[in-house]
Amino acid sequence: MRVEIEILGSGTSSGIPTVGCDCWVCRSENPRNRRLRSSVLFRVQDGADEVRLLVDVTPDLRLQALRAGFSSVHAVLFTHTHADHCHGLDDLRALYWGGGRQPIPVWGYPESIARLKQSFAYVFDHEYDYKGIARLEPQVFQHQPFKVAGVTVTPIPVVHGNMRVAGFRIGDAAYITDCNAVPESSLAALKGVRLLVLDALRRAPHPTHMSLPEALATARRIGVEQVFFTHINHDIEHESVNRELPPGAALGFDRLLAALEPDGRITISERPPGPPLIA
Ligand SMILES: [Zn+2]
Ligand SMILES: [Zn+2]
Ligand SMILES: [Zn+2]
């Protein structure tokens, strides 16, 4: 099995540059300091078919799908329902059309699915006969692994202030965003993970996100070979901070591709930027 994670967005809730901010990171022209809202695409190859699992639908989903070159997914996995992770939900219609108008399964904790149904009632209303919206198939998980298009996904609960957020493990790769703590039982469930994308908002502590030192310590405890940090805010300038990190740890960035190859290697590459999407 080959498991690839593409970072579609590595930025905190406001995105970087942040509207109205003229700090040096927001003014930077280095593409690695330009961060769309946090999301990843898992591409899993087990045999002939590629399974694409999209984690979260950010307000930047349209740009992210255009940039990463996908027009359909097998399912969407929701970490939680903060606006930066789900307010691109309406744009799933393009992926619904791209997938031949097959309803897209959307997986989340029961409270996440309930909130989505509340916030996007028209999308989940089967009486609403309008062809311009996505058809979604809500599915819930708790702690047990579940199968999506033949791929086993293990939800890993983490703490995000007063709410729980789902991390996702597929094989020995995992994605964990928006957390200030990983409980012992979840650390145990992450044992054996070799490639991890993990929340690290900034250097300083924060009540609902891990700081860079906390995220590093968490990755060490799990024992991962390679960790990339995500959900990064404008306190972190990519090049200068990245240089300080130890081997096996690096700042994530938009368009990063990291894969666990069938032969066990971890490969890291970068999607070419392509034409500018905002002129
Ligand atoms: Zn967030
Ligand atoms: Zn700024
Ligand atoms: Zn959040």
Side-chain angles (χ1 to χ4, degrees):
M1 182 166 77
R2 179 177 195 269
V3 183
E4 180 187 80
I5 300 178
E6 175 162 358
I7 295 187
L8 303 177
S10 57
T12 190
S13 55
S14 57
I16 311 296
T18 297
V19 172
C21 184
D22 65 353
C23 78
W24 73 299
V25 174
C26 287
R27 280 187 288 110
S28 166
E29 286 180 13
N30 181 345
R32 295 197 179 182
N33 284 321
R34 305 184 86 86
R35 305 168 182 135
L36 297 181
R37 266 60 75 86
S38 284
S39 172
V40 297
L41 183 71
F42 278 98
R43 289 189 184 85
V44 184
Q45 191 103 36
D46 198 3
D49 294 330
E50 176 186 90
V51 174
R52 288 177 302 284
L53 304 177
L54 173 63
V55 183
D56 292 335
V57 291
T58 80
D60 298 318
L61 175 61
R62 172 179 163 270
L63 294 175
Q64 291 168 329
L66 286 170
R67 188 166 67 176
F70 64 94
S71 56
S72 66
V73 293
H74 294 79
V76 178
L77 313 177
F78 279 100
T79 61
H80 65 311
T81 53
H82 280 159
D84 51 325
H85 298 264
C86 72
H87 278 197
L89 190 124
D90 193 87
D91 277 345
L92 282 175
R93 65 196 197 140
L95 305 183
Y96 168 66
W97 299 331
R101 294 184 179 267
Q102 294 298 312
I104 303 173
V106 293
W107 288 83
Y109 283 133
E111 64 269 26
S112 296
I113 296 298
R115 177 55 70 91
L116 291 176
K117 284 182 172 173
Q118 197 178 41
S119 303
F120 297 92
Y122 69 98
V123 175
F124 294 95
D125 178 2
H126 286 281
E127 312 276 281
Y128 184 43
D129 185 25
Y130 174 56
K131 294 204 166 26
I133 54 171
R135 283 284 167 227
L136 307 178
E137 198 177 271
Q139 305 276 355
V140 298
F141 55 73
Q142 287 282 2
H143 298 296
Q144 293 304 314
F146 54 94
K147 276 208 167 202
V148 186
V151 173
T152 301
V153 180
T154 304
I156 310 278
V158 294
V159 180
H160 184 35
N162 61 4
M163 75 193 294
R164 67 171 172 173
V165 164
F168 298 105
R169 175 177 184 169
I170 298 177
D172 290 338
Y175 175 64
I176 301 177
T177 187
D178 291 60
C179 66
N180 53 293
V182 180
E184 287 299 322
S185 54
S186 295
L187 288 171
L190 289 163
K191 207 168 157 32
V193 165
R194 299 173 54 217
L195 172 64
L196 175 66
V197 177
L198 179 63
D199 181 14
L201 181 74
R202 61 185 191 188
R203 286 180 195 273
H206 186 277
T208 61
H209 290 274
M210 283 203 265
S211 66
L212 198 51
E214 288 165 341
L216 258 175
T218 302
R220 283 220 177 94
R221 280 201 65 192
I222 299 165
V224 300
E225 285 170 48
Q226 179 67 55
V227 62
F228 290 104
F229 300 115
T230 193
H231 212 290
I232 300 165
N233 85 356
H234 59 174
D235 294 343
I236 290 184
E237 194 284 319
H238 184 90
E239 305 299 341
S240 51
V241 174
N242 203 39
R243 270 197 297 271
E244 298 170 8
L245 295 175
L251 295 177
F253 54 88
D254 292 28
R255 297 183 288 104
L256 174 81
L257 297 157
L260 277 177
E261 303 292 343
D263 64 7
R265 285 175 310 135
I266 293 175
T267 54
I268 298 160
S269 57
E270 181 179 357
R271 179 177 296 286
L277 294 167
I278 303 171

